[in-house]
PDB file of all heavy atoms in Angstrom:
ATOM      1  N   LYS O 168       0.833  -1.252   0.009  1.00  0.00           N
ATOM      2  CA  LYS O 168       0.033   0.024  -0.006  1.00  0.00           C
ATOM      3  C   LYS O 168       0.852   1.266   0.036  1.00  0.00           C
ATOM      4  O   LYS O 168       0.559   2.262  -0.699  1.00  0.00           O
ATOM      5  CB  LYS O 168      -0.917  -0.019   1.241  1.00  0.00           C
ATOM      6  CG  LYS O 168      -1.933  -1.089   1.220  1.00  0.00           C
ATOM      7  CD  LYS O 168      -2.871  -1.000   2.440  1.00  0.00           C
ATOM      8  CE  LYS O 168      -3.899  -2.116   2.496  1.00  0.00           C
ATOM      9  NZ  LYS O 168      -3.258  -3.442   2.749  1.00  0.00           N
ATOM     10  N   VAL O 169       1.971   1.242   0.733  1.00  0.00           N
ATOM     11  CA  VAL O 169       2.918   2.378   0.718  1.00  0.00           C
ATOM     12  C   VAL O 169       3.463   2.613  -0.661  1.00  0.00           C
ATOM     13  O   VAL O 169       3.505   3.750  -1.178  1.00  0.00           O
ATOM     14  CB  VAL O 169       4.008   2.164   1.756  1.00  0.00           C
ATOM     15  CG1 VAL O 169       5.074   3.350   1.624  1.00  0.00           C
ATOM     16  CG2 VAL O 169       3.508   2.166   3.161  1.00  0.00           C
ATOM     17  N   MET O 170       3.845   1.510  -1.267  1.00  0.00           N
ATOM     18  CA  MET O 170       4.414   1.621  -2.633  1.00  0.00           C
ATOM     19  C   MET O 170       3.389   2.168  -3.639  1.00  0.00           C
ATOM     20  O   MET O 170       3.716   3.019  -4.483  1.00  0.00           O
ATOM     21  CB  MET O 170       4.954   0.249  -3.102  1.00  0.00           C
ATOM     22  CG  MET O 170       6.187  -0.186  -2.345  1.00  0.00           C
ATOM     23  SD  MET O 170       7.596   0.937  -2.573  1.00  0.00           S
ATOM     24  CE  MET O 170       7.822   0.937  -4.321  1.00  0.00           C
ATOM     25  N   ASP O 171       2.142   1.687  -3.550  1.00  0.00           N
ATOM     26  CA  ASP O 171       1.088   2.213  -4.451  1.00  0.00           C
ATOM     27  C   ASP O 171       0.851   3.689  -4.212  1.00  0.00           C
ATOM     28  O   ASP O 171       0.711   4.444  -5.175  1.00  0.00           O
ATOM     29  CB  ASP O 171      -0.233   1.453  -4.219  1.00  0.00           C
ATOM     30  CG  ASP O 171      -0.224   0.045  -4.817  1.00  0.00           C
ATOM     31  OD1 ASP O 171       0.629  -0.215  -5.684  1.00  0.00           O
ATOM     32  OD2 ASP O 171      -1.058  -0.798  -4.445  1.00  0.00           O
ATOM     33  N   ARG O 172       0.952   4.112  -3.004  1.00  0.00           N
ATOM     34  CA  ARG O 172       0.729   5.543  -2.667  1.00  0.00           C
ATOM     35  C   ARG O 172       1.881   6.378  -3.222  1.00  0.00           C
ATOM     36  O   ARG O 172       1.729   7.465  -3.711  1.00  0.00           O
ATOM     37  CB  ARG O 172       0.642   5.728  -1.145  1.00  0.00           C
ATOM     38  CG  ARG O 172       0.273   7.090  -0.672  1.00  0.00           C
ATOM     39  CD  ARG O 172      -1.155   7.490  -0.996  1.00  0.00           C
ATOM     40  NE  ARG O 172      -1.591   8.755  -0.379  1.00  0.00           N
ATOM     41  CZ  ARG O 172      -1.430   9.928  -1.016  1.00  0.00           C
ATOM     42  NH1 ARG O 172      -0.891   9.972  -2.232  1.00  0.00           N
ATOM     43  NH2 ARG O 172      -1.849  11.017  -0.429  1.00  0.00           N
ATOM     44  N   LEU O 173       3.100   5.853  -3.098  1.00  0.00           N
ATOM     45  CA  LEU O 173       4.253   6.600  -3.635  1.00  0.00           C
ATOM     46  C   LEU O 173       4.190   6.703  -5.139  1.00  0.00           C
ATOM     47  O   LEU O 173       4.534   7.727  -5.721  1.00  0.00           O
ATOM     48  CB  LEU O 173       5.566   5.868  -3.219  1.00  0.00           C
ATOM     49  CG  LEU O 173       5.990   5.942  -1.752  1.00  0.00           C
ATOM     50  CD1 LEU O 173       7.181   5.006  -1.471  1.00  0.00           C
ATOM     51  CD2 LEU O 173       6.313   7.364  -1.373  1.00  0.00           C
ATOM     52  N   ILE O 174       3.760   5.647  -5.802  1.00  0.00           N
ATOM     53  CA  ILE O 174       3.613   5.682  -7.267  1.00  0.00           C
ATOM     54  C   ILE O 174       2.609   6.747  -7.644  1.00  0.00           C
ATOM     55  O   ILE O 174       2.823   7.382  -8.722  1.00  0.00           O
ATOM     56  CB  ILE O 174       3.229   4.286  -7.792  1.00  0.00           C
ATOM     57  CG1 ILE O 174       4.484   3.374  -7.633  1.00  0.00           C
ATOM     58  CG2 ILE O 174       2.811   4.316  -9.241  1.00  0.00           C
ATOM     59  CD1 ILE O 174       4.100   1.852  -7.910  1.00  0.00           C
ATOM     60  N   GLN O 175       1.613   6.933  -6.843  1.00  0.00           N
ATOM     61  CA  GLN O 175       0.611   7.950  -7.179  1.00  0.00           C
ATOM     62  C   GLN O 175       1.050   9.337  -6.923  1.00  0.00           C
ATOM     63  O   GLN O 175       0.504  10.316  -7.492  1.00  0.00           O
ATOM     64  CB  GLN O 175      -0.703   7.685  -6.325  1.00  0.00           C
ATOM     65  CG  GLN O 175      -1.422   6.441  -6.671  1.00  0.00           C
ATOM     66  CD  GLN O 175      -2.495   6.058  -5.632  1.00  0.00           C
ATOM     67  OE1 GLN O 175      -2.750   6.850  -4.683  1.00  0.00           O
ATOM     68  NE2 GLN O 175      -3.177   4.966  -5.772  1.00  0.00           N
ATOM     69  N   PHE O 176       2.051   9.517  -6.055  1.00  0.00           N
ATOM     70  CA  PHE O 176       2.518  10.913  -5.702  1.00  0.00           C
ATOM     71  C   PHE O 176       3.047  11.654  -6.818  1.00  0.00           C
ATOM     72  O   PHE O 176       3.781  11.038  -7.688  1.00  0.00           O
ATOM     73  CB  PHE O 176       3.450  10.802  -4.482  1.00  0.00           C
ATOM     74  CG  PHE O 176       3.590  12.055  -3.734  1.00  0.00           C
ATOM     75  CD1 PHE O 176       2.758  12.340  -2.708  1.00  0.00           C
ATOM     76  CD2 PHE O 176       4.517  13.040  -4.034  1.00  0.00           C
ATOM     77  CE1 PHE O 176       2.780  13.532  -1.978  1.00  0.00           C
ATOM     78  CE2 PHE O 176       4.650  14.164  -3.351  1.00  0.00           C
ATOM     79  CZ  PHE O 176       3.767  14.414  -2.287  1.00  0.00           C
ATOM     80  N   HIS O 177       2.818  12.917  -6.923  1.00  0.00           N
ATOM     81  CA  HIS O 177       3.069  13.738  -8.067  1.00  0.00           C
ATOM     82  C   HIS O 177       4.632  13.925  -8.344  1.00  0.00           C
ATOM     83  O   HIS O 177       4.998  14.143  -9.472  1.00  0.00           O
ATOM     84  CB  HIS O 177       2.303  15.031  -8.071  1.00  0.00           C
ATOM     85  CG  HIS O 177       2.576  15.812  -6.780  1.00  0.00           C
ATOM     86  ND1 HIS O 177       1.868  15.543  -5.664  1.00  0.00           N
ATOM     87  CD2 HIS O 177       3.454  16.837  -6.458  1.00  0.00           C
ATOM     88  CE1 HIS O 177       2.287  16.393  -4.718  1.00  0.00           C
ATOM     89  NE2 HIS O 177       3.244  17.094  -5.169  1.00  0.00           N
ATOM     90  N   ASN O 178       5.425  13.904  -7.295  1.00  0.00           N
ATOM     91  CA  ASN O 178       6.831  14.222  -7.485  1.00  0.00           C
ATOM     92  C   ASN O 178       7.651  13.604  -6.362  1.00  0.00           C
ATOM     93  O   ASN O 178       7.621  14.112  -5.256  1.00  0.00           O
ATOM     94  CB  ASN O 178       7.031  15.740  -7.516  1.00  0.00           C
ATOM     95  CG  ASN O 178       8.414  16.168  -8.025  1.00  0.00           C
ATOM     96  OD1 ASN O 178       9.121  15.342  -8.492  1.00  0.00           O
ATOM     97  ND2 ASN O 178       8.702  17.451  -7.943  1.00  0.00           N
ATOM     98  N   VAL O 179       8.330  12.496  -6.622  1.00  0.00           N
ATOM     99  CA  VAL O 179       8.968  11.735  -5.535  1.00  0.00           C
ATOM    100  C   VAL O 179      10.358  11.188  -5.997  1.00  0.00           C
ATOM    101  O   VAL O 179      10.540  10.877  -7.220  1.00  0.00           O
ATOM    102  CB  VAL O 179       8.058  10.596  -5.087  1.00  0.00           C
ATOM    103  CG1 VAL O 179       7.792   9.654  -6.217  1.00  0.00           C
ATOM    104  CG2 VAL O 179       8.629   9.882  -3.911  1.00  0.00           C
ATOM    105  N   ASP O 180      11.296  11.119  -5.046  1.00  0.00           N
ATOM    106  CA  ASP O 180      12.478  10.335  -5.295  1.00  0.00           C
ATOM    107  C   ASP O 180      12.758   9.481  -4.112  1.00  0.00           C
ATOM    108  O   ASP O 180      12.114   9.560  -3.067  1.00  0.00           O
ATOM    109  CB  ASP O 180      13.728  11.241  -5.587  1.00  0.00           C
ATOM    110  CG  ASP O 180      13.971  12.321  -4.551  1.00  0.00           C
ATOM    111  OD1 ASP O 180      14.223  11.786  -3.385  1.00  0.00           O
ATOM    112  OD2 ASP O 180      14.000  13.475  -4.765  1.00  0.00           O
ATOM    113  N   PHE O 181      13.710   8.587  -4.223  1.00  0.00           N
ATOM    114  CA  PHE O 181      13.897   7.502  -3.230  1.00  0.00           C
ATOM    115  C   PHE O 181      15.345   7.185  -3.108  1.00  0.00           C
ATOM    116  O   PHE O 181      16.066   6.978  -4.068  1.00  0.00           O
ATOM    117  CB  PHE O 181      13.190   6.239  -3.828  1.00  0.00           C
ATOM    118  CG  PHE O 181      12.808   5.234  -2.820  1.00  0.00           C
ATOM    119  CD1 PHE O 181      11.471   5.085  -2.490  1.00  0.00           C
ATOM    120  CD2 PHE O 181      13.698   4.459  -2.244  1.00  0.00           C
ATOM    121  CE1 PHE O 181      11.118   4.167  -1.488  1.00  0.00           C
ATOM    122  CE2 PHE O 181      13.331   3.522  -1.302  1.00  0.00           C
ATOM    123  CZ  PHE O 181      12.065   3.379  -0.927  1.00  0.00           C
ATOM    124  N   GLN O 182      15.875   7.189  -1.884  1.00  0.00           N
ATOM    125  CA  GLN O 182      17.153   6.755  -1.580  1.00  0.00           C
ATOM    126  C   GLN O 182      17.087   5.381  -0.854  1.00  0.00           C
ATOM    127  O   GLN O 182      16.491   5.263   0.163  1.00  0.00           O
ATOM    128  CB  GLN O 182      17.922   7.752  -0.621  1.00  0.00           C
ATOM    129  CG  GLN O 182      18.211   9.106  -1.321  1.00  0.00           C
ATOM    130  CD  GLN O 182      16.961   9.958  -1.375  1.00  0.00           C
ATOM    131  OE1 GLN O 182      16.312  10.316  -0.440  1.00  0.00           O
ATOM    132  NE2 GLN O 182      16.539  10.287  -2.628  1.00  0.00           N
ATOM    133  N   TRP O 183      17.646   4.365  -1.548  1.00  0.00           N
ATOM    134  CA  TRP O 183      17.414   2.997  -1.059  1.00  0.00           C
ATOM    135  C   TRP O 183      17.998   2.799   0.310  1.00  0.00           C
ATOM    136  O   TRP O 183      19.084   3.191   0.641  1.00  0.00           O
ATOM    137  CB  TRP O 183      18.123   2.038  -2.041  1.00  0.00           C
ATOM    138  CG  TRP O 183      17.610   2.097  -3.439  1.00  0.00           C
ATOM    139  CD1 TRP O 183      16.287   2.313  -3.848  1.00  0.00           C
ATOM    140  CD2 TRP O 183      18.426   2.087  -4.613  1.00  0.00           C
ATOM    141  NE1 TRP O 183      16.278   2.293  -5.277  1.00  0.00           N
ATOM    142  CE2 TRP O 183      17.543   2.197  -5.714  1.00  0.00           C
ATOM    143  CE3 TRP O 183      19.751   1.902  -4.844  1.00  0.00           C
ATOM    144  CZ2 TRP O 183      18.002   2.174  -7.060  1.00  0.00           C
ATOM    145  CZ3 TRP O 183      20.210   1.880  -6.187  1.00  0.00           C
ATOM    146  CH2 TRP O 183      19.355   2.023  -7.255  1.00  0.00           C
ATOM    147  N   GLY O 184      17.208   2.097   1.111  1.00  0.00           N
ATOM    148  CA  GLY O 184      17.731   1.581   2.410  1.00  0.00           C
ATOM    149  C   GLY O 184      18.055   0.106   2.314  1.00  0.00           C
ATOM    150  O   GLY O 184      17.757  -0.559   1.326  1.00  0.00           O
ATOM    151  N   ASN O 185      18.654  -0.439   3.360  1.00  0.00           N
ATOM    152  CA  ASN O 185      19.076  -1.835   3.274  1.00  0.00           C
ATOM    153  C   ASN O 185      17.856  -2.783   3.189  1.00  0.00           C
ATOM    154  O   ASN O 185      17.916  -3.771   2.515  1.00  0.00           O
ATOM    155  CB  ASN O 185      20.008  -2.176   4.475  1.00  0.00           C
ATOM    156  CG  ASN O 185      19.328  -1.962   5.801  1.00  0.00           C
ATOM    157  OD1 ASN O 185      18.618  -0.983   6.065  1.00  0.00           O
ATOM    158  ND2 ASN O 185      19.639  -2.818   6.775  1.00  0.00           N
ATOM    159  N   HIS O 186      16.740  -2.383   3.847  1.00  0.00           N
ATOM    160  CA  HIS O 186      15.530  -3.222   3.676  1.00  0.00           C
ATOM    161  C   HIS O 186      14.988  -3.218   2.302  1.00  0.00           C
ATOM    162  O   HIS O 186      14.439  -4.188   1.810  1.00  0.00           O
ATOM    163  CB  HIS O 186      14.518  -2.785   4.765  1.00  0.00           C
ATOM    164  CG  HIS O 186      14.804  -3.156   6.131  1.00  0.00           C
ATOM    165  ND1 HIS O 186      14.452  -4.316   6.706  1.00  0.00           N
ATOM    166  CD2 HIS O 186      15.574  -2.519   7.052  1.00  0.00           C
ATOM    167  CE1 HIS O 186      14.886  -4.437   7.960  1.00  0.00           C
ATOM    168  NE2 HIS O 186      15.632  -3.315   8.167  1.00  0.00           N
ATOM    169  N   ASP O 187      15.050  -2.049   1.609  1.00  0.00           N
ATOM    170  CA  ASP O 187      14.589  -1.951   0.261  1.00  0.00           C
ATOM    171  C   ASP O 187      15.400  -2.789  -0.700  1.00  0.00           C
ATOM    172  O   ASP O 187      14.871  -3.573  -1.523  1.00  0.00           O
ATOM    173  CB  ASP O 187      14.585  -0.530  -0.238  1.00  0.00           C
ATOM    174  CG  ASP O 187      13.888   0.459   0.734  1.00  0.00           C
ATOM    175  OD1 ASP O 187      12.794   0.126   1.182  1.00  0.00           O
ATOM    176  OD2 ASP O 187      14.492   1.493   1.130  1.00  0.00           O
ATOM    177  N   VAL O 188      16.737  -2.754  -0.515  1.00  0.00           N
ATOM    178  CA  VAL O 188      17.611  -3.485  -1.400  1.00  0.00           C
ATOM    179  C   VAL O 188      17.462  -5.037  -1.143  1.00  0.00           C
ATOM    180  O   VAL O 188      17.674  -5.764  -1.986  1.00  0.00           O
ATOM    181  CB  VAL O 188      19.074  -3.026  -1.262  1.00  0.00           C
ATOM    182  CG1 VAL O 188      20.051  -3.927  -2.011  1.00  0.00           C
ATOM    183  CG2 VAL O 188      19.218  -1.616  -1.806  1.00  0.00           C
ATOM    184  N   LEU O 189      17.096  -5.329   0.102  1.00  0.00           N
ATOM    185  CA  LEU O 189      16.797  -6.720   0.375  1.00  0.00           C
ATOM    186  C   LEU O 189      15.681  -7.284  -0.499  1.00  0.00           C
ATOM    187  O   LEU O 189      15.768  -8.383  -1.116  1.00  0.00           O
ATOM    188  CB  LEU O 189      16.423  -6.979   1.867  1.00  0.00           C
ATOM    189  CG  LEU O 189      16.055  -8.376   2.330  1.00  0.00           C
ATOM    190  CD1 LEU O 189      17.317  -9.215   2.389  1.00  0.00           C
ATOM    191  CD2 LEU O 189      15.402  -8.332   3.726  1.00  0.00           C
ATOM    192  N   TRP O 190      14.639  -6.472  -0.645  1.00  0.00           N
ATOM    193  CA  TRP O 190      13.525  -6.847  -1.509  1.00  0.00           C
ATOM    194  C   TRP O 190      13.869  -6.805  -2.973  1.00  0.00           C
ATOM    195  O   TRP O 190      13.453  -7.653  -3.792  1.00  0.00           O
ATOM    196  CB  TRP O 190      12.318  -5.929  -1.236  1.00  0.00           C
ATOM    197  CG  TRP O 190      11.573  -6.273   0.030  1.00  0.00           C
ATOM    198  CD1 TRP O 190      12.096  -6.361   1.255  1.00  0.00           C
ATOM    199  CD2 TRP O 190      10.235  -6.564   0.192  1.00  0.00           C
ATOM    200  NE1 TRP O 190      11.160  -6.671   2.191  1.00  0.00           N
ATOM    201  CE2 TRP O 190       9.928  -6.785   1.517  1.00  0.00           C
ATOM    202  CE3 TRP O 190       9.110  -6.558  -0.699  1.00  0.00           C
ATOM    203  CZ2 TRP O 190       8.691  -7.158   2.008  1.00  0.00           C
ATOM    204  CZ3 TRP O 190       7.823  -6.847  -0.280  1.00  0.00           C
ATOM    205  CH2 TRP O 190       7.612  -7.143   1.112  1.00  0.00           C
ATOM    206  N   MET O 191      14.648  -5.811  -3.332  1.00  0.00           N
ATOM    207  CA  MET O 191      15.154  -5.725  -4.730  1.00  0.00           C
ATOM    208  C   MET O 191      16.082  -6.867  -5.079  1.00  0.00           C
ATOM    209  O   MET O 191      15.958  -7.424  -6.141  1.00  0.00           O
ATOM    210  CB  MET O 191      15.892  -4.370  -4.909  1.00  0.00           C
ATOM    211  CG  MET O 191      14.980  -3.117  -4.797  1.00  0.00           C
ATOM    212  SD  MET O 191      15.878  -1.603  -4.571  1.00  0.00           S
ATOM    213  CE  MET O 191      16.449  -1.329  -6.235  1.00  0.00           C
ATOM    214  N   GLY O 192      16.886  -7.312  -4.088  1.00  0.00           N
ATOM    215  CA  GLY O 192      17.665  -8.443  -4.368  1.00  0.00           C
ATOM    216  C   GLY O 192      16.932  -9.718  -4.516  1.00  0.00           C
ATOM    217  O   GLY O 192      17.225 -10.604  -5.343  1.00  0.00           O
ATOM    218  N   ALA O 193      15.763  -9.857  -3.745  1.00  0.00           N
ATOM    219  CA  ALA O 193      14.955 -10.992  -3.940  1.00  0.00           C
ATOM    220  C   ALA O 193      14.359 -11.058  -5.333  1.00  0.00           C
ATOM    221  O   ALA O 193      14.336 -12.072  -6.001  1.00  0.00           O
ATOM    222  CB  ALA O 193      13.790 -10.966  -2.850  1.00  0.00           C
ATOM    223  N   TYR O 194      13.862  -9.881  -5.774  1.00  0.00           N
ATOM    224  CA  TYR O 194      13.334  -9.858  -7.171  1.00  0.00           C
ATOM    225  C   TYR O 194      14.368 -10.174  -8.227  1.00  0.00           C
ATOM    226  O   TYR O 194      14.119 -10.774  -9.203  1.00  0.00           O
ATOM    227  CB  TYR O 194      12.732  -8.461  -7.447  1.00  0.00           C
ATOM    228  CG  TYR O 194      12.216  -8.242  -8.840  1.00  0.00           C
ATOM    229  CD1 TYR O 194      11.048  -8.966  -9.247  1.00  0.00           C
ATOM    230  CD2 TYR O 194      12.848  -7.446  -9.699  1.00  0.00           C
ATOM    231  CE1 TYR O 194      10.564  -8.801 -10.565  1.00  0.00           C
ATOM    232  CE2 TYR O 194      12.390  -7.333 -10.967  1.00  0.00           C
ATOM    233  CZ  TYR O 194      11.226  -7.980 -11.392  1.00  0.00           C
ATOM    234  OH  TYR O 194      10.756  -7.847 -12.720  1.00  0.00           O
ATOM    235  N   ALA O 195      15.601  -9.702  -7.938  1.00  0.00           N
ATOM    236  CA  ALA O 195      16.714 -10.046  -8.854  1.00  0.00           C
ATOM    237  C   ALA O 195      17.112 -11.426  -8.857  1.00  0.00           C
ATOM    238  O   ALA O 195      18.000 -11.790  -9.710  1.00  0.00           O
ATOM    239  CB  ALA O 195      17.889  -9.074  -8.550  1.00  0.00           C
ATOM    240  N   GLY O 196      16.625 -12.272  -8.007  1.00  0.00           N
ATOM    241  CA  GLY O 196      16.889 -13.707  -7.976  1.00  0.00           C
ATOM    242  C   GLY O 196      17.827 -14.200  -6.888  1.00  0.00           C
ATOM    243  O   GLY O 196      18.247 -15.326  -6.890  1.00  0.00           O
ATOM    244  N   ASN O 197      18.194 -13.294  -5.907  1.00  0.00           N
ATOM    245  CA  ASN O 197      19.061 -13.734  -4.779  1.00  0.00           C
ATOM    246  C   ASN O 197      18.231 -14.465  -3.807  1.00  0.00           C
ATOM    247  O   ASN O 197      17.412 -13.819  -3.067  1.00  0.00           O
ATOM    248  CB  ASN O 197      19.763 -12.555  -4.234  1.00  0.00           C
ATOM    249  CG  ASN O 197      20.855 -13.015  -3.229  1.00  0.00           C
ATOM    250  OD1 ASN O 197      20.552 -13.418  -2.147  1.00  0.00           O
ATOM    251  ND2 ASN O 197      22.101 -12.860  -3.651  1.00  0.00           N
ATOM    252  N   LEU O 198      18.429 -15.771  -3.639  1.00  0.00           N
ATOM    253  CA  LEU O 198      17.579 -16.502  -2.744  1.00  0.00           C
ATOM    254  C   LEU O 198      17.787 -16.260  -1.281  1.00  0.00           C
ATOM    255  O   LEU O 198      16.831 -16.382  -0.491  1.00  0.00           O
ATOM    256  CB  LEU O 198      17.729 -18.032  -3.074  1.00  0.00           C
ATOM    257  CG  LEU O 198      17.344 -18.520  -4.393  1.00  0.00           C
ATOM    258  CD1 LEU O 198      17.609 -20.013  -4.569  1.00  0.00           C
ATOM    259  CD2 LEU O 198      15.811 -18.254  -4.611  1.00  0.00           C
ATOM    260  N   ALA O 199      19.043 -15.773  -0.966  1.00  0.00           N
ATOM    261  CA  ALA O 199      19.307 -15.422   0.461  1.00  0.00           C
ATOM    262  C   ALA O 199      18.418 -14.162   0.808  1.00  0.00           C
ATOM    263  O   ALA O 199      17.886 -14.113   1.929  1.00  0.00           O
ATOM    264  CB  ALA O 199      20.756 -15.095   0.661  1.00  0.00           C
ATOM    265  N   CYS O 200      18.317 -13.192  -0.092  1.00  0.00           N
ATOM    266  CA  CYS O 200      17.460 -12.067   0.122  1.00  0.00           C
ATOM    267  C   CYS O 200      16.038 -12.491   0.301  1.00  0.00           C
ATOM    268  O   CYS O 200      15.306 -12.018   1.163  1.00  0.00           O
ATOM    269  CB  CYS O 200      17.600 -11.021  -1.049  1.00  0.00           C
ATOM    270  SG  CYS O 200      19.237 -10.226  -1.126  1.00  0.00           S
ATOM    271  N   LEU O 201      15.570 -13.346  -0.595  1.00  0.00           N
ATOM    272  CA  LEU O 201      14.162 -13.792  -0.568  1.00  0.00           C
ATOM    273  C   LEU O 201      13.860 -14.520   0.733  1.00  0.00           C
ATOM    274  O   LEU O 201      12.865 -14.268   1.393  1.00  0.00           O
ATOM    275  CB  LEU O 201      13.920 -14.756  -1.772  1.00  0.00           C
ATOM    276  CG  LEU O 201      12.537 -15.408  -1.796  1.00  0.00           C
ATOM    277  CD1 LEU O 201      11.448 -14.343  -1.867  1.00  0.00           C
ATOM    278  CD2 LEU O 201      12.403 -16.283  -3.072  1.00  0.00           C
ATOM    279  N   ALA O 202      14.771 -15.464   1.182  1.00  0.00           N
ATOM    280  CA  ALA O 202      14.495 -16.142   2.437  1.00  0.00           C
ATOM    281  C   ALA O 202      14.518 -15.208   3.560  1.00  0.00           C
ATOM    282  O   ALA O 202      13.660 -15.301   4.537  1.00  0.00           O
ATOM    283  CB  ALA O 202      15.629 -17.239   2.610  1.00  0.00           C
ATOM    284  N   THR O 203      15.301 -14.187   3.538  1.00  0.00           N
ATOM    285  CA  THR O 203      15.354 -13.207   4.681  1.00  0.00           C
ATOM    286  C   THR O 203      14.080 -12.371   4.706  1.00  0.00           C
ATOM    287  O   THR O 203      13.571 -12.150   5.839  1.00  0.00           O
ATOM    288  CB  THR O 203      16.603 -12.264   4.504  1.00  0.00           C
ATOM    289  OG1 THR O 203      17.797 -13.103   4.461  1.00  0.00           O
ATOM    290  CG2 THR O 203      16.677 -11.346   5.669  1.00  0.00           C
ATOM    291  N   LEU O 204      13.600 -11.893   3.663  1.00  0.00           N
ATOM    292  CA  LEU O 204      12.418 -11.034   3.699  1.00  0.00           C
ATOM    293  C   LEU O 204      11.198 -11.928   4.089  1.00  0.00           C
ATOM    294  O   LEU O 204      10.340 -11.407   4.846  1.00  0.00           O
ATOM    295  CB  LEU O 204      12.146 -10.308   2.362  1.00  0.00           C
ATOM    296  CG  LEU O 204      11.524 -11.081   1.174  1.00  0.00           C
ATOM    297  CD1 LEU O 204       9.968 -11.067   1.203  1.00  0.00           C
ATOM    298  CD2 LEU O 204      11.939 -10.369  -0.145  1.00  0.00           C
ATOM    299  N   LEU O 205      11.192 -13.189   3.743  1.00  0.00           N
ATOM    300  CA  LEU O 205      10.127 -14.026   4.177  1.00  0.00           C
ATOM    301  C   LEU O 205      10.201 -14.328   5.641  1.00  0.00           C
ATOM    302  O   LEU O 205       9.212 -14.398   6.417  1.00  0.00           O
ATOM    303  CB  LEU O 205      10.095 -15.369   3.406  1.00  0.00           C
ATOM    304  CG  LEU O 205       9.771 -15.266   1.883  1.00  0.00           C
ATOM    305  CD1 LEU O 205      10.020 -16.560   1.195  1.00  0.00           C
ATOM    306  CD2 LEU O 205       8.289 -14.887   1.750  1.00  0.00           C
ATOM    307  N   ARG O 206      11.445 -14.551   6.121  1.00  0.00           N
ATOM    308  CA  ARG O 206      11.658 -14.809   7.549  1.00  0.00           C
ATOM    309  C   ARG O 206      11.230 -13.590   8.394  1.00  0.00           C
ATOM    310  O   ARG O 206      10.565 -13.768   9.402  1.00  0.00           O
ATOM    311  CB  ARG O 206      13.141 -15.110   7.821  1.00  0.00           C
ATOM    312  CG  ARG O 206      13.407 -15.349   9.369  1.00  0.00           C
ATOM    313  CD  ARG O 206      14.881 -15.372   9.631  1.00  0.00           C
ATOM    314  NE  ARG O 206      15.545 -14.081   9.239  1.00  0.00           N
ATOM    315  CZ  ARG O 206      15.546 -12.979   9.958  1.00  0.00           C
ATOM    316  NH1 ARG O 206      14.791 -12.881  11.074  1.00  0.00           N
ATOM    317  NH2 ARG O 206      16.183 -11.944   9.545  1.00  0.00           N
TER     318      ARG O 206
END
């Protein structure tokens, strides 16, 4: 829901945090990142 709200916002930028890159790493195929976000 937060992500959907950010996408709707008229003017936004984002500086990645370690929790964000964990999810990005999971999407990129890193199974350790995926297991961690699920845990």
Side-chain angles (χ1 to χ4, degrees):
K168 296 183 180 67
V169 174
M170 289 301 299
D171 284 341
R172 187 72 172 89
L173 288 172
I174 290 171
Q175 293 169 3
F176 201 84
H177 52 277
N178 195 6
V179 62
D180 58 58
F181 202 106
Q182 293 75 59
W183 302 318
N185 58 324
H186 287 269
D187 307 314
V188 172
L189 180 71
W190 283 54
M191 295 165 76
Y194 177 70
N197 188 289
L198 294 179
C200 292
L201 177 58
T203 304
L204 79 84
L205 292 169
R206 177 192 60 77

